[in-house]
Amino acid sequence: MAGKIVADTLEHSTAGSIATNYVVNGSAKAWAASLEADATIGDSLNVSSAVDDGAGFEQVIFASSFNSANYVSVGSLSRTATETARIVSFYERVSASIHVSTKTVSAGVSDQPKATSFHGDLA
């Protein structure tokens, strides 16, 4: 039997309280940290797997789909002292997955360690 909890505020004994609408509307619904320079996921939330689509390209598969392809994706890459810029791009966004591309200014499209997060309503 499924249960239901109804609350407007969550309160922690020492860390304070937060409105539940912030959790529903303001928190990332999925994220992934690729510690390796390939599609290996080091840690994640709501990501079932990643598929290596070749050098610099991967597909992130969500465990629970978004309700549409209109979610927000954010990514970051670290920069070394010798690298001027690293770029993460998102394309072919659907509710169940998204394709990610990484590149550097000096080497072009290439596998890079990255952190990504996804914000929107789940299905």
Side-chain angles (χ1 to χ4, degrees), residues 24-89:
V24 172
N25 296 321
S27 300
K29 301 306 185 297
W31 59 264
S34 301
L35 304 177
E36 304 296 325
D38 60 13
T40 303
I41 302 294
D43 200 359
S44 68
L45 169 72
N46 192 29
V47 172
S48 62
S49 63
V51 178
D52 191 344
D53 286 339
F57 297 95
E58 71 180 41
Q59 181 181 16
V60 175
I61 313 294
F62 302 122
S64 295
S65 296
F66 285 86
N67 69 353
S68 74
N70 296 325
Y71 53 89
V72 173
S73 52
V74 180
S76 66
L77 302 165
S78 60
R79 184 179 75 84
T80 64
T82 59
E83 190 64 56
T84 56
R86 293 182 179 198
I87 301 163
V88 60
S89 303

Side-chain angles (χ1 to χ4, degrees), residues 65-119:
S65 296
F66 285 86
N67 69 353
S68 74
N70 296 325
Y71 53 89
V72 173
S73 52
V74 180
S76 66
L77 302 165
S78 60
R79 184 179 75 84
T80 64
T82 59
E83 190 64 56
T84 56
R86 293 182 179 198
I87 301 163
V88 60
S89 303
F90 301 96
Y91 62 100
E92 292 184 23
R93 176 192 324 258
V94 296
S95 62
S97 67
I98 190 167
H99 289 262
V100 181
S101 171
T102 55
K103 68 179 181 177
T104 66
V105 171
S106 62
V109 177
S110 59
D111 290 330
Q112 302 291 323
K114 67 195 131 310
T116 52
S117 66
F118 308 95
H119 304 260

